[in-house]
mmCIF file of all heavy atoms in Angstrom:
data_model
loop_
_atom_site.group_PDB
_atom_site.id
_atom_site.type_symbol
_atom_site.label_atom_id
_atom_site.label_comp_id
_atom_site.label_asym_id
_atom_site.label_seq_id
_atom_site.Cartn_x
_atom_site.Cartn_y
_atom_site.Cartn_z
ATOM 1 N N THR A 216 -17.192 78.373 142.076
ATOM 2 C CA THR A 216 -16.003 78.866 141.386
ATOM 3 C C THR A 216 -14.904 77.822 141.587
ATOM 4 O O THR A 216 -15.096 76.829 142.294
ATOM 5 C CB THR A 216 -15.505 80.205 141.945
ATOM 6 O OG1 THR A 216 -15.059 79.995 143.294
ATOM 7 C CG2 THR A 216 -16.590 81.267 141.939
ATOM 8 N N TYR A 235 -5.519 87.636 152.676
ATOM 9 C CA TYR A 235 -4.765 88.788 153.176
ATOM 10 C C TYR A 235 -3.283 88.683 152.826
ATOM 11 O O TYR A 235 -2.458 89.342 153.454
ATOM 12 C CB TYR A 235 -4.931 88.940 154.683
ATOM 13 C CG TYR A 235 -6.319 89.369 155.077
ATOM 14 C CD1 TYR A 235 -7.181 88.503 155.720
ATOM 15 C CD2 TYR A 235 -6.761 90.642 154.776
ATOM 16 C CE1 TYR A 235 -8.448 88.894 156.072
ATOM 17 C CE2 TYR A 235 -8.026 91.044 155.116
ATOM 18 C CZ TYR A 235 -8.872 90.175 155.764
ATOM 19 O OH TYR A 235 -10.126 90.582 156.101
ATOM 20 N N LEU A 237 -1.130 86.607 153.530
ATOM 21 C CA LEU A 237 -0.231 85.903 154.425
ATOM 22 C C LEU A 237 -0.854 84.829 155.287
ATOM 23 O O LEU A 237 -0.115 84.116 155.951
ATOM 24 C CB LEU A 237 0.551 86.869 155.314
ATOM 25 C CG LEU A 237 -0.092 88.046 156.024
ATOM 26 C CD1 LEU A 237 0.800 88.481 157.181
ATOM 27 C CD2 LEU A 237 -0.284 89.222 155.082
ATOM 28 P P DT B 29 6.014 92.384 153.465
ATOM 29 O OP1 DT B 29 6.969 91.382 153.956
ATOM 30 O OP2 DT B 29 6.465 93.557 152.693
ATOM 31 O "O5'" DT B 29 4.906 91.636 152.588
ATOM 32 C "C5'" DT B 29 4.436 90.364 153.023
ATOM 33 C "C4'" DT B 29 3.169 90.017 152.293
ATOM 34 O "O4'" DT B 29 2.122 90.939 152.652
ATOM 35 C "C3'" DT B 29 3.257 90.120 150.764
ATOM 36 O "O3'" DT B 29 3.590 88.838 150.265
ATOM 37 C "C2'" DT B 29 1.851 90.534 150.337
ATOM 38 C "C1'" DT B 29 1.122 90.812 151.655
ATOM 39 N N1 DT B 29 0.312 92.051 151.669
ATOM 40 C C2 DT B 29 -0.896 91.994 152.320
ATOM 41 O O2 DT B 29 -1.293 90.981 152.886
ATOM 42 N N3 DT B 29 -1.629 93.154 152.281
ATOM 43 C C4 DT B 29 -1.271 94.346 151.674
ATOM 44 O O4 DT B 29 -2.008 95.313 151.700
ATOM 45 C C5 DT B 29 0.025 94.336 151.013
ATOM 46 C C7 DT B 29 0.513 95.561 150.344
ATOM 47 C C6 DT B 29 0.728 93.201 151.047
ATOM 48 P P DG B 30 3.787 88.608 148.687
ATOM 49 O OP1 DG B 30 4.865 87.616 148.533
ATOM 50 O OP2 DG B 30 3.858 89.882 147.974
ATOM 51 O "O5'" DG B 30 2.415 87.887 148.307
ATOM 52 C "C5'" DG B 30 2.114 86.650 148.921
ATOM 53 C "C4'" DG B 30 0.849 86.073 148.338
ATOM 54 O "O4'" DG B 30 -0.274 86.905 148.677
ATOM 55 C "C3'" DG B 30 0.829 85.946 146.821
ATOM 56 O "O3'" DG B 30 0.199 84.715 146.523
ATOM 57 C "C2'" DG B 30 -0.004 87.138 146.361
ATOM 58 C "C1'" DG B 30 -0.974 87.311 147.516
ATOM 59 N N9 DG B 30 -1.442 88.666 147.795
ATOM 60 C C8 DG B 30 -0.723 89.827 147.717
ATOM 61 N N7 DG B 30 -1.405 90.889 148.087
ATOM 62 C C5 DG B 30 -2.654 90.385 148.431
ATOM 63 C C6 DG B 30 -3.814 91.046 148.903
ATOM 64 O O6 DG B 30 -3.966 92.239 149.120
ATOM 65 N N1 DG B 30 -4.861 90.151 149.131
ATOM 66 C C2 DG B 30 -4.796 88.812 148.926
ATOM 67 N N2 DG B 30 -5.893 88.100 149.199
ATOM 68 N N3 DG B 30 -3.715 88.173 148.480
ATOM 69 C C4 DG B 30 -2.689 89.019 148.250
ATOM 70 P P DC B 33 -12.590 82.220 142.702
ATOM 71 O OP1 DC B 33 -13.588 81.554 143.544
ATOM 72 O OP2 DC B 33 -12.030 81.537 141.512
ATOM 73 O "O5'" DC B 33 -13.190 83.618 142.249
ATOM 74 C "C5'" DC B 33 -13.714 84.492 143.260
ATOM 75 C "C4'" DC B 33 -13.871 85.889 142.709
ATOM 76 O "O4'" DC B 33 -12.584 86.440 142.391
ATOM 77 C "C3'" DC B 33 -14.693 85.974 141.421
ATOM 78 O "O3'" DC B 33 -15.885 86.689 141.698
ATOM 79 C "C2'" DC B 33 -13.789 86.729 140.433
ATOM 80 C "C1'" DC B 33 -12.763 87.385 141.366
ATOM 81 N N1 DC B 33 -11.446 87.634 140.721
ATOM 82 C C2 DC B 33 -10.905 88.926 140.741
ATOM 83 O O2 DC B 33 -11.547 89.834 141.278
ATOM 84 N N3 DC B 33 -9.695 89.150 140.164
ATOM 85 C C4 DC B 33 -9.034 88.134 139.601
ATOM 86 N N4 DC B 33 -7.844 88.404 139.049
ATOM 87 C C5 DC B 33 -9.560 86.819 139.565
ATOM 88 C C6 DC B 33 -10.772 86.607 140.140
#
Side-chain angles (χ1 to χ4, degrees):
Chain A
T216 66
Y235 290 110
L237 45 160

